[in-house]
Amino acid sequence: MSVILACFFIWTVVNSLFLVPLPKRSVFTDRPLVSVLVPLRNEERNVKRLVRSLKQLTYEPIEFLLLDDQSTDRTYEFLLQETKGDDRFTLLQGKALPDGWAGKVHACHQLAQQANGAYLFFIDADVELKPTVIEALLTVATTYHAKLVTGFPSFHPKSLPLVGKWLVPLQHFFIFFHLPLVFANYTNMRATTAAHGACLFFERTAYEAIGGHASVKQELVEDVMIARKMKEHRYRVILANVSTHVVCYMYETNKEVWAGFLKNVYIGLNRSPFFVLLLTMFYGICYVAPLIFAPLSLIYGAAYSLPLAIIIAQKAYVEWKTERSISTCYWMPISAAAFIVLMYASMRAKRYEWKGRTYT
C-alpha cells in the first residue's frame, strides 16, 4: 500500500508541472477592451468586497457589467451604492428565467449580449481578484494562443465552515491527481477538460463561434461543458494556476457547502453509478483506510502509519501549490469519506436546489 501511495504522490508532483502558472510580468502588445462580467443572485454579502476588488484592477481599457439575476435580497440596492460615480460599471437587471435554461447560464448569456469587449472575463460574485489578474490572463492567452483561459481559485480555509474544509480543497486535489494536465493543456481531447466558473477568460470571437452560453443552456456544470465546446471546435483551452490571482469565498455555512457540491458531483461523473462505485472503492481503500490502520503502528510498528503520512503529504503538496496554505491537509481521510457520502447523496437526489431555484 505504501509503495502505491508513494507512486500517487510522485505522479501528483509530475502532473503539476503541466499546470500553466500565471506570469508575474505582462507579455502582450495590444490592449484590447476587456469586459468583466459578473452574474449575481442573492449576493448581498459579497457585493462590497467584489466591487472594491474590481475597482483595484490595473488593466485598461476595461468595462464592468454586473447583472442582478432576480435576487430576492438587497443585492441590487448594494450594487447601486458601491458603484455610484464610477462610469466603468453598468448594472443590469436580469430577465425572468426561460424554460430550458439553467439560471447562471442565462445570466451569463445576458451579460455577454451587452458586452463590448474583445475579451470576456466571466467571474463569480464571491471572488476577490489580484489587481494585475487581467494582465496575467491576457499574457497566457497571447503566449499560448488560447481562446479560453480558466483555472481554480484559491480558497482560504479560515473563511470556510467545517464541511467546507473537508470538501472545497478537494477540487484542487482532483485536478492535480485525476486530470492528466499535459492532455488538458496540450490537446483538444474533450475528456481531459476542467474549468471553473470563477475564472473564464474568453476571446470573444471564439466564444461567439461556439454559440456562447446558449450552447450549454441546460447545463448545471456549465463551466466544464462550455470548455468542452471550445475544444470540440478545436480552440485552445488553457487550465492555469490562477490561485495566485483569484480568491474565492464560496460558502459560509455547512448547508451551503453541501447543497453546492450536491448539484455538481453526480452530474460531473456523467450520472454513472459505475463511476460512483469505482471511486468509492478507490478512495475507501487508499484514502480512508490509512486512518483506520494508523493506530496499529502503536502495536506493530511505524509501517502502519506510513500510508497516512503519505496521503497527508500528497494533499499538503497540492495545497502548497494552489492555496498557499497546508492547513487542511490533515483532513484528507475525512475529506475522502465525506466525498464518498456526497457521491451517494448526489446520486440519490431527485432534484437539486440552489439559490431558490430547483433543478433535476
Side-chain angles (χ1 to χ4, degrees):
M1 171 70 80
S2 296
V3 173
I4 293 173
L5 293 176
C7 290
F8 290 166
F9 180 42
I10 294 169
W11 158 252
T12 301
V13 174
V14 172
N15 194 41
S16 71
L17 301 178
F18 296 96
L19 185 67
V20 174
L22 291 191
K24 295 180 180 179
R25 286 189 173 186
S26 303
V27 183
F28 54 86
T29 53
D30 297 331
R31 281 189 167 264
L33 175 65
V34 173
S35 300
V36 182
L37 310 177
V38 192
L40 301 97
R41 179 172 170 83
N42 296 337
E43 297 283 0
E44 62 180 16
R45 73 189 185 203
N46 291 314
V47 167
K48 185 173 182 178
R49 181 176 57 235
L50 169 70
V51 174
R52 182 181 66 242
S53 176
L54 295 179
K55 286 181 176 180
Q56 292 175 351
L57 295 181
T58 57
Y59 182 84
E60 292 182 350
I62 194 169
E63 65 174 5
F64 305 115
L65 281 74
L66 285 63
L67 183 139
D68 176 36
D69 184 21
Q70 305 276 302
S71 295
T72 57
D73 63 5
R74 302 174 67 188
T75 294
Y76 191 72
E77 176 188 340
F78 290 171
L79 284 173
L80 287 172
Q81 292 175 6
E82 296 299 324
T83 62
K84 185 177 180 181
D86 193 328
D87 59 9
R88 296 174 299 171
F89 286 86
T90 299
L91 303 185
L92 306 172
Q93 290 187 304
K95 299 176 183 177
L97 183 64
D99 292 338
W101 284 77
K104 183 181 177 182
V105 184
H106 186 239
C108 290
H109 173 68
Q110 294 175 78
L111 283 162
Q113 288 184 316
Q114 299 299 317
N116 299 303
Y119 283 86
L120 307 179
F121 184 23
F122 292 92
I123 63 173
D124 288 340
D126 53 10
V127 303
E128 188 170 19
L129 304 174
K130 186 175 180 178
T132 57
V133 63
I134 293 179
E135 288 91 336
L137 291 170
L138 190 56
T139 296
V140 171
T142 302
T143 303
Y144 290 87
H145 305 289
K147 305 303 181 183
L148 168 61
V149 181
T150 184
F152 285 67
S154 63
F155 309 95
H156 287 306
K158 290 182 180 179
S159 70
L160 291 170
L162 183 60
V163 176
K165 289 180 172 64
W166 298 345
L167 292 174
V168 172
L170 279 181
Q171 295 179 84
H172 290 137
F173 184 83
F174 292 152
I175 295 301
F176 276 65
F177 186 34
H178 292 297
L179 184 68
L181 291 167
V182 65
F183 295 120
N185 278 334
Y186 298 97
T187 76
N188 283 321
M189 292 175 61
R190 187 176 183 273
T192 59
T193 305
H196 198 291
C199 180
L200 294 169
F201 190 78
F202 290 96
E203 185 185 73
R204 187 192 188 113
T205 54
Y207 172 85
E208 292 178 341
I210 68 164
H213 276 84
S215 66
V216 294
K217 65 181 182 180
Q218 294 182 316
E219 301 290 350
L220 287 182
V221 191
E222 84 293 335
D223 42 14
V224 175
M225 296 305 177
I226 201 168
R228 287 180 177 177
K229 287 284 184 183
M230 295 289 285
K231 284 193 170 185
E232 287 172 6
H233 287 74
R234 307 200 66 78
Y235 289 124
R236 183 79 178 272
V237 176
I238 286 292
L239 186 67
N241 185 4
V242 306
S243 62
T244 55
H245 288 64
V246 184
V247 180
C248 191
Y249 298 83
M250 291 181 70
Y251 307 111
E252 289 191 347
T253 67
N254 290 321
K255 184 178 179 180
E256 284 184 0
V257 175
W258 194 256
F261 280 94
L262 193 71
K263 68 182 175 62
N264 292 333
V265 169
Y266 191 50
I267 296 173
L269 295 173
N270 292 321
R271 300 181 186 267
S272 169
F274 173 74
F275 285 156
V276 172
L277 178 60
L278 187 66
L279 287 172
T280 297
M281 295 174 61
F282 179 78
Y283 275 95
I285 295 171
C286 296
Y287 290 91
V288 178
L291 179 62
I292 297 172
F293 287 103
L296 294 178
S297 64
L298 299 174
I299 302 173
Y300 300 108
Y304 281 88
S305 62
L306 187 56
L308 180 61
I310 293 172
I311 66 172
I312 289 174
Q314 182 188 12
K315 184 64 160 52
Y317 174 79
V318 173
E319 293 185 2
W320 172 71
K321 287 287 288 186
T322 60
E323 299 178 51
R324 294 162 291 169
S325 166
I326 61 170
S327 59
T328 67
C329 66
Y330 305 102
W331 289 108
M332 187 59 205
I334 305 300
S335 298
F339 175 64
I340 292 171
V341 174
L342 179 66
M343 284 193 296
Y344 282 95
S346 183
M347 182 173 65
R348 292 173 60 85
K350 303 297 183 183
R351 62 181 182 271
Y352 308 106
E353 303 221 353
W354 186 245
K355 296 194 175 183
R357 287 173 173 154
T358 301
Y359 303 95
T360 58

